[in-house]
């Protein structure tokens, strides 16, 4: 897909072509640029920003203003990747009217391409209304972090047959409501496979095994920038935090011990100008 803006049709086509989709989170311009340059298909400005950027305990306190601010920055970095704006808690739960107004704000003010919201069967009418208003929606089922306390915490979902069946029903309901793809979080791998085989739209897993249509990870988890806790489903591709801390320590040592900046990092002035200045003082 190199060199052109990725559309929801490309995302849907990828499943038909058996091409795995890649998705990561970004919360600012440099990470948007890097994800785009790496050829990632979908960049999610996730409300996980509450935890990995804002230092909150969860995602519940994240606001529309927080999201729009970060979406604007990411969008400037993403020329090709499809940019997804995550609807924060209570921006779509209060009424269908609120859901449409706030989804519209994400696109109009933030500039993202599509929105994502958490919820299954109960949210099908909301999804249908947003899609009817002309805004593409990505669903998010399984473990839904905004309502994690109601689900008993940040735990795998769909453990027994009845709970698994409910998630399959959620997938079907939101597909019927018009989502263009589904994020499936923290479910047993065999359930991930069943759901990916049941629905026609791409299922992008995070802790849902490898037999789904693509994967998403929180970038700050996979590069080891945020390591307060690392969920089981995260693979750390690098550990960037110690690298950054070492650089900061080296800088501090340089300033104190070796007199940074050196001549190479300093601006010069002609001897003549310097002499003149001294006379003026
Ligand atoms: O907010 C987020 O980063 C997410 C991912 C976990 C999919 O919703």
């Amino acid at each position: 897909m190199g060199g052109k803006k990725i559309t929801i049709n490309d995302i849907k086509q990828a499943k038909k072509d058996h091409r795995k989709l890649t998705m990561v989170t970004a919360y600012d311009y440099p990470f948007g640029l890097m994800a785009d340059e790496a050829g990632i298909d979908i960049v999610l400005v996730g409300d996980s920003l509450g935890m990995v950027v804002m230092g909150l305990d969860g995602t519940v306190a994240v606001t529309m203003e927080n999201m729009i601010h970060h979406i604007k920055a990411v969008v400037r970095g993403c020329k090709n990747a499809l940019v997804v704006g995550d609807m924060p808690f209570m921006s779509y739960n209060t009424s269908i009217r609120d859901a449409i107004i706030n989804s519209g704000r994400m696109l109009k003010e933030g500039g993202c391409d599509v929105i994502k919201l958490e919820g299954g069967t109960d949210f099908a009418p909301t999804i249908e209304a947003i899609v009817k208003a002309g805004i593409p929606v990505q669903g998010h089922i399984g473990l839904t972090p905004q309502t994690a306390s109601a689900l008993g915490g940040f735990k795998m979902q769909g453990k027994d047959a009845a709970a698994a069946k409910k998630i399959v029903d959620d997938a079907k309901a939101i597909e019927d409501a018009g989502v263009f793809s589904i994020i499936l979080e923290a479910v047993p791998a065999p359930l991930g496979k069943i759901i990916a085989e049941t629905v026609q739209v791409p299922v992008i897993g995070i802790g849902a095994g490898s037999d789904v249509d693509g994967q998403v990870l929180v970038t700050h988890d996979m590069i080891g920038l945020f390591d307060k806790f690392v969920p089981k489903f995260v693979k750390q591709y690098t550990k960037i935090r110690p690298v950054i801390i070492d650089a900061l320590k080296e800088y501090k040592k340089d300033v104190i011990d070796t007199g940074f900046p050196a001549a190479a990092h300093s601006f010069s002035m002609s001897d003549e100008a310097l002499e003149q200045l001294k006379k003026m003082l």
Side-chain angles (χ1 to χ4, degrees):
M1 291 182 188
K4 83 168 181 57
K5 181 75 186 174
I6 294 169
T7 66
I8 61 167
N9 291 341
D10 296 323
I11 301 301
K12 290 198 256 188
Q13 188 60 40
K15 177 159 182 157
K16 293 185 186 134
D17 296 344
H18 305 286
R19 186 180 75 76
K20 293 272 186 183
L21 289 160
T22 54
M23 175 168 175
V24 295
T25 62
Y27 314 97
D28 59 20
Y29 174 69
F31 275 91
L33 265 183
M34 287 189 281
D36 208 58
E37 196 174 321
I40 297 292
D41 298 306
I42 309 174
V43 171
L44 168 67
V45 188
D47 65 352
S48 49
L49 90 87
M51 287 176 286
V52 302
V53 174
M54 296 167 68
L56 300 168
D57 284 338
T59 58
V60 165
V62 174
T63 65
M64 278 297 294
E65 276 60 39
N66 295 150
M67 291 307 305
I68 288 169
H69 174 81
H70 286 272
I71 290 169
K72 278 182 180 168
V74 172
V75 163
R76 290 184 200 115
C78 292
K79 296 278 168 287
N80 299 331
L82 186 84
V83 180
V84 182
D86 209 2
M87 296 288 283
F89 186 53
M90 286 299 147
S91 65
Y92 59 96
N93 321 60
T94 42
S95 69
I96 285 182
R97 180 181 152 80
D98 285 350
I100 295 174
I101 291 172
N102 286 320
S103 306
R105 286 190 66 198
M106 295 287 236
L107 266 65
K108 282 165 71 95
E109 297 174 42
C112 57
D113 302 303
V114 303
I115 63 105
K116 169 171 94 61
L117 62 81
E118 296 180 7
T121 311
D122 292 348
F123 283 88
T126 307
I127 292 169
E128 196 173 345
I130 299 170
V131 172
K132 267 199 188 132
I135 299 172
V137 178
Q138 183 172 57
H140 185 159
I141 56 173
L143 173 61
T144 45
Q146 292 172 5
T147 45
S149 46
L151 298 173
F154 287 85
K155 288 185 189 157
M156 187 192 80
Q157 301 295 307
K159 203 170 179 179
D160 59 45
K165 167 77 167 51
K166 166 144 190 350
I167 301 174
V168 176
D169 291 344
D170 282 340
K172 286 188 199 161
I174 64 172
E175 178 178 45
D176 288 347
V179 295
F180 72 89
S181 88
I182 296 174
I183 301 293
L184 180 61
E185 180 163 354
V187 299
L191 177 58
K193 183 173 190 296
I194 288 171
I195 292 176
E197 287 169 354
T198 301
V199 296
Q200 305 303 307
V201 293
V203 174
I204 301 178
I206 173 162
S210 59
D211 291 320
V212 287
D213 307 304
Q215 298 293 327
V216 54
L217 281 178
V218 170
T219 298
H220 289 42
D221 290 340
M222 64 174 267
I223 64 169
L225 185 55
F226 178 82
D227 61 2
K228 245 179 161 177
F229 58 89
V230 182
K232 176 181 163 63
F233 50 72
V234 170
K235 177 172 173 185
Q236 278 196 331
Y237 287 83
T238 184
K239 289 188 193 301
I240 205 73
R241 199 169 173 276
V243 175
I244 295 172
I245 293 172
D246 282 351
L248 294 170
K249 282 183 178 166
E250 206 180 318
Y251 160 72
K252 177 175 175 174
K253 192 170 178 321
D254 258 9
V255 171
I256 294 169
D257 296 349
T258 66
F260 169 84
H265 313 112
S266 304
F267 299 104
S268 58
M269 190 178 189
S270 72
D271 291 346
E272 193 189 348
L274 187 58
E275 277 314 308
Q276 276 178 5
L277 172 64
K278 283 180 180 166
K279 279 183 199 150
M280 289 160 75
L281 297 175

